[in-house]
Amino acid sequence: MSVILLMTLTVGAKKVHTLGDSTMAPYDEKATVTRGWGMYFGQFLTNGWTSINYAKGGRDSRGGYNELWQTAKKNVEAGDYVIITFGHNDEKINGMDRDEVYQYYIGKGMTTEANALDSRGTTPSDTYKKWLGKIVDEVIAKGATPIICSPVCRSYMEGNGKINRAGRHDLGDKFSVLTADGIKENQKVGADDHTMDYAYHSQKLAEEKGIAFIDLTTATKNLYESYGTRAKCEATLFDGQGSTHFNTTGALLVARECARLMKAQNILAEDITLPTDLSVSPADGNFGEAYKGQTLQKEFTLNGFGLSPESGSVSISASEGIQLSFDKTEWTNTLTAEYTGSTLVKTFYAQLTLTQNGETKGLITISQGEKTIEIPVLATAITLDGGAEVKAYWRLEKDENCELTGPANVIGESFQGMYIQRYSNPNAATVWPEWTGYDASRKMQRNLLTGDAWPADEIDDNPERYIQWGIKPSAGMDLKIDLISLFASGCGGNGMCCHIYYSTDNFETRTTIFEMKKMPANNPQYVEAKPVLTVKDGQELLVRVYPWYNGAATGKTICLSDLTIHGVAVDNTTGISSQSKANSQKPIAFYTLDGRSHTQMQRGLNIVRMQDGSVRKMIN
């Protein structure tokens, strides 16, 4: 699952914490082909070291300090390492600092322009270094070791096969600057002038602080250029959605480069392994828990460097009940992965259906010559027994009201940097999935960002722009959630993009349930997640939609409807009251343990919701 990996923290645990943007962040393998290199860094650690990835898409160095570091530092201990890499989103206002430009606009009475600004952006030689430096200083204060990595390149490759200046995060060929006389655009400095070079200033900060520096900008420049052309580089390393985000191969190779450079600088040299033999990640085939009848998938990556013979193949087979695929389309019991140049990086997927309660076991076997790797497979089917059914349903046809069934409390729809434009059918030609039976007259909630103008050059969600709903248990209860679903669509053009996440810790961590870029207009996409998730008494389950648009535009809307959160409520106490002892609060709703609603107490054990919102078990 695409959630920050917060591993069990034990005395003496040795941890490498990673802070960064979307190029490092974790992604849900079921929702997208995009991968962040921080997802794979841990597989190069040994001797008990583990990696914890706090990176999130859309964060600049300011957000890195104010959000990601504030989460990470709760877990950072003396002796740990913290890898820090930002830069992509620091460039959002062409090299200017967002807060300074905002105050300039406000001072001039230009409120519209101020409100339309992106929430991100720093100056390379000033506020970028300031925010990185604050993280570094506080890491050192914790007794941990900071490492600054310069940002990975974008695949901006010229006809000569070389990554250009902007691709290396040097805006020197075209940038803006805020002066006493206003904003000056389309500025340029010489090729040997590093004033606007984020990677350069990250290195300078490391030198000033006397800490380790890993030059991932140069490392990825060399990696990309080794493919000769931009097309071949992107086809091999990138996710097919532009010049920034990696597929599994790209993310794995960048993680390996970071590990290699650290080892070369004698940083954790004895605790970093760079295998040249055949290996697979993850080595554990535990699919976790799911509900009986669900089909589960898990992603694996084959790695081989310096393989012998120079060209050959690797066979992958699975025991009965487990299917394998390279593309998640065609499934079989055996696969063959070809390789050349003594190098293999290949992703494959395993799939199984839980047909019985309890544990399902199996085996995946990988073979190359005399080399054999066995991956034990385990999945556990569970059921939701007992409790009262809970369903929160937002139709989003004419208002933001929620229909609630069962003992729980709704967290109403709210907006950050967004507002409701209106309720209407997105377009007379709206095409709903055939199975819904809906026609083009069915209305959706149409939402716009504050200011109505989508900024240019957004490649990921903006942390300050989202729509949110939620649910929380009634007092004394836990919620066991088994479904989150909704419809999402763009309207006005095919450039709408969005991420949809849920979280139970106010988005310190999050799980991705949907990602789509360039959504086809007027085609509502059905989003469905079936998590095995318990929301404890005192927690909140929040669902957020983060939209952005592919290019500068006005009037484009994100359309939403039919949000459902479903599960059961269970009593988390052992106390049971009798009806005669519950007269201080008036019961307002009655449920049997299997979730059926009644107008009055039934004989035996009941779940009862009181006027104050609390829920009790009562015997009649």
Side-chain angles (χ1 to χ4, degrees), residues 163-179:
I163 299 294
N164 67 20
R165 197 173 183 182
R168 303 192 305 273
H169 302 283
D170 182 352
L171 304 185
D173 284 340
K174 186 179 180 181
F175 62 94
S176 299
V177 60
L178 178 62
T179 72

Side-chain angles (χ1 to χ4, degrees), residues 56 67 501-503 505-510 542 544:
K56 287 184 180 179
E67 180 188 356
Y501 309 104
Y502 71 77
S503 174
D505 58 10
N506 199 30
F507 277 83
E508 286 193 5
T509 62
R510 63 190 184 181
L542 301 177
R544 288 182 183 176

Side-chain angles (χ1 to χ4, degrees), residues 18 85 93 110 116 143 149 182 193 198-199 205 214 271 279 283 305 367 399 486 497 545 570 579 587 593 603:
T18 56
T85 180
I93 314 183
M110 302 168 68
C149 287
D193 187 326
Y198 288 88
L205 175 65
I214 302 298
D271 304 301
S279 63
F305 302 91
S367 301
D399 54 39
L486 71 154
C497 313
V545 175
V570 295
Q579 187 175 17
L593 288 180
R603 182 168 298 279

